[in-house]
Amino acid sequence: APTTAWDPTPADGAKYINAASVVLAWQMGDVDNTANNVSYDVYWGTDEATVAADTTPDAHVTDPTRTIGPLLNDTDYYWKVNTVLTLKGPPFTQTIIPGDVWQFKTKPFIAIGDATRIGLWTFDEEGAGNLVVDWSGYGNDGTIIGGALRVPGRNEDAENAIDLSGGGQSVAITMTGGVPTVNPSEVSVAMWARPDITTGQQMMWYTYETSGYGKVRCRINGGNWLFTSGQGATGNNIDATGPAVV
């Protein structure tokens, strides 16, 4: 490991970072923390040159993390961590190890265009890593799980789909944006999918409440699309069989 602070979170060059609150984190460099107390001077701002000059730290911390915000939307931010080593005994000499300048960009402001549309995931965010942005305005962003990859979807000209080709792969979305509870009897869903099976069962997506039972589900069942709205394992399901999978 280097002597400088390393392994930044958000990663250098990250995009679509939530501007409301950002947790900056890093790994301690390969330094002598037996003879020295280790602390950090943290700098951040929208001007790269100012951050690089590290004149006055924005914060001095003893743990390798600092929460900042709220920040501006759709804005490039730069940050830097200098490692401060202070001898534990006389003469208590300080040594500063300058860090690299890292950069991230915050997510643009997304207005709620349709109050009844509680989620809109297009999967086409360039440079977003495992983040899936909710473009509905409710802020219900998702996370790509299990190493699933972005691939060309319906348009065949952009990475605007997720290839779920292995066990444990999914896009996990926690509805935290203050949206109303979905009424299983009054819900509309639009999606594009290209399954690779025509027999058996394969879950495409589902919602669930704290009980863990699926409330709204879409899956392939016996070669047909099956849409289910109801109480999951407790019964009272309404099934609507769609067209055959081709």
Side-chain angles (χ1 to χ4, degrees), residues 193-204 219-226 241-246:
R194 187 175 65 188
D196 58 3
I197 67 168
T198 56
T199 61
Q201 293 199 38
Q202 185 176 41
M203 185 70 70
M204 302 305 296
R219 67 184 188 274
I220 297 168
N221 185 51
N224 289 83
W225 289 101
L226 181 64
T241 301
V245 175
V246 296

Side-chain angles (χ1 to χ4, degrees), residues 2 11 21 37 58 66 69 98 119 123 133 152 170 185 196 206 218 226:
S21 178
N37 292 314
D58 295 288
R66 173 69 180 187
F123 304 128
V133 176
S170 65
S185 64
D196 58 3
Y206 66 95
C218 181
L226 181 64

Side-chain angles (χ1 to χ4, degrees), residues 1-243:
T3 56
T4 57
W6 62 288
D7 192 22
T9 300
D12 188 25
K15 298 181 180 180
Y16 301 100
I17 302 301
N18 191 337
S21 178
V22 180
V23 178
L24 305 178
W26 56 93
Q27 297 292 327
M28 181 181 73
D30 186 11
V31 297
D32 183 1
N33 60 350
T34 301
N36 296 278
N37 292 314
V38 181
S39 59
Y40 307 93
D41 288 335
V42 187
Y43 308 80
W44 67 87
T46 58
D47 185 83
E48 183 177 9
T50 300
V51 172
D54 58 44
T55 53
T56 304
D58 295 288
H60 181 82
V61 297
T62 55
D63 293 322
T65 184
R66 173 69 180 187
T67 300
I68 64 175
L71 305 179
L72 299 174
N73 292 104
D74 199 20
T75 301
D76 287 305
Y77 278 87
Y78 303 89
W79 62 294
K80 176 179 180 178
V81 176
N82 287 350
T83 303
V84 181
L85 304 179
T86 305
L87 279 176
K88 294 181 178 179
F92 304 106
T93 305
Q94 278 197 345
T95 302
I96 296 179
I97 304 174
D100 299 321
V101 176
W102 298 311
Q103 177 267 341
F104 64 85
K105 188 168 186 176
T106 53
K107 187 169 63 175
F109 173 76
I110 304 172
I112 297 176
D114 181 348
T116 64
R117 184 175 62 191
I118 65 174
L120 175 61
W121 302 277
T122 58
F123 304 128
D124 59 356
E125 305 85 9
E126 183 178 353
N130 289 329
L131 175 71
V132 173
V133 176
D134 173 19
W135 296 99
S136 73
Y138 278 111
N140 296 305
D141 297 336
T143 303
I144 299 174
I145 303 296
L149 301 175
R150 298 177 193 260
V151 296
R154 183 176 181 181
N155 297 331
E156 295 292 342
D157 60 356
E159 293 184 347
N160 57 356
I162 305 294
D163 181 15
L164 305 176
S165 58
Q169 292 185 337
S170 65
V171 177
I173 298 168
T174 302
M175 307 295 279
T176 59
V179 299
T181 301
V182 175
N183 183 341
S185 64
E186 299 178 4
V187 62
S188 298
V189 177
M191 63 177 291
W192 177 90
R194 187 175 65 188
D196 58 3
I197 67 168
T198 56
T199 61
Q201 293 199 38
Q202 185 176 41
M203 185 70 70
M204 302 305 296
W205 61 264
Y206 66 95
T207 69
Y208 66 92
E209 295 185 0
T210 54
S211 62
Y213 296 132
K215 294 294 185 179
V216 183
R217 289 165 287 169
C218 181
R219 67 184 188 274
I220 297 168
N221 185 51
N224 289 83
W225 289 101
L226 181 64
F227 180 82
T228 300
S229 175
Q231 300 301 315
T234 63
N236 300 321
N237 291 326
I238 301 173
D239 291 343
T241 301

